[in-house]
């Protein structure tokens, strides 16, 4: 089995920063690709950032220049560094990962999410 756990959310003032972590554990050989999504109350889930198997990263226009996604392959972890946070960034942030298991199967897995609230 594969588990995805996000952490690092919290309550911050506008303009401040947070870094989210997404750790894959269990039957994990490697994270092939990963995405950060967010979902605000009453809104559809939206894709914030993605990293592919070649570590090419793409961002939604709303966060480009403020958010930075990265990965640490040795730790099976991906990060989302969020700077210059705005109230409209308030949402539950979810990590999705395509995992290569130790049996070299590909498995899609989601975390439960971590709440980010930006408010003064």
């Amino acid at each position: 089995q594969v588990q995805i756990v996000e952490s690092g959310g919290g309550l911050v003032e506008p303009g401040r920063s947070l870094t989210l972590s997404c750790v894959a554990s269990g039957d994990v050989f490697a994270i092939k690709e990963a995405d950060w999504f967010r979902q605000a109350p009453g809104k559809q889930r939206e894709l914030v950032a993605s990293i592919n198997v070649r570590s090419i990263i793409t961002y939604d226009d709303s966060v480009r220049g403020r958010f930075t996604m990265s990965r640490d392959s040795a730790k099976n972890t991906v990060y989302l560094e969020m700077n210059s946070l705005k109230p409209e960034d308030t949402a539950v942030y979810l990590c999705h990962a395509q995992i290569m298991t130790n049996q070299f199967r590909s498995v899609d897995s989601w975390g439960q999410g971590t709440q980010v609230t930006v408010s003064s």
Side-chain angles (χ1 to χ4, degrees):
Q1 279 193 340
V2 174
Q3 295 83 40
I4 300 288
V5 178
E6 304 97 332
S7 62
L11 170 63
V12 295
E13 294 180 339
R16 302 299 290 267
S17 300
L18 281 175
T19 297
L20 307 183
S21 300
C22 167
V23 180
S25 63
D27 185 13
V28 178
F29 179 76
I31 296 176
K32 292 169 56 180
E33 301 183 345
D35 312 286
W36 283 101
F37 287 82
R38 66 185 179 188
Q39 187 160 20
K43 294 188 177 181
Q44 287 191 332
R45 185 173 294 183
E46 62 175 350
L47 179 62
V48 175
S50 297
I51 186 167
N52 71 10
V53 66
R54 292 176 291 171
S55 292
I56 295 173
I57 301 169
T58 58
Y59 299 96
D60 183 77
D61 286 346
S62 64
V63 306
R64 188 176 293 112
R66 299 188 298 123
F67 290 11
T68 302
M69 186 174 185
S70 60
R71 78 159 112 207
D72 185 333
S73 297
K75 296 181 179 180
N76 288 326
T77 300
V78 294
Y79 302 96
L80 186 68
E81 179 183 350
M82 306 184 295
N83 299 311
S84 302
L85 282 162
K86 305 175 181 180
E88 51 263 43
D89 295 318
T90 296
V92 175
Y93 284 72
L94 302 110
C95 179
H96 165 259
Q98 190 177 73
I99 301 294
M100 176 72 77
T101 71
N102 292 305
Q103 295 75 37
F104 301 108
R105 292 185 299 112
S106 185
V107 174
D108 273 344
S109 190
W110 287 86
Q112 293 296 308
T114 185
Q115 176 71 45
V116 172
T117 303
V118 185
S119 175
S120 54

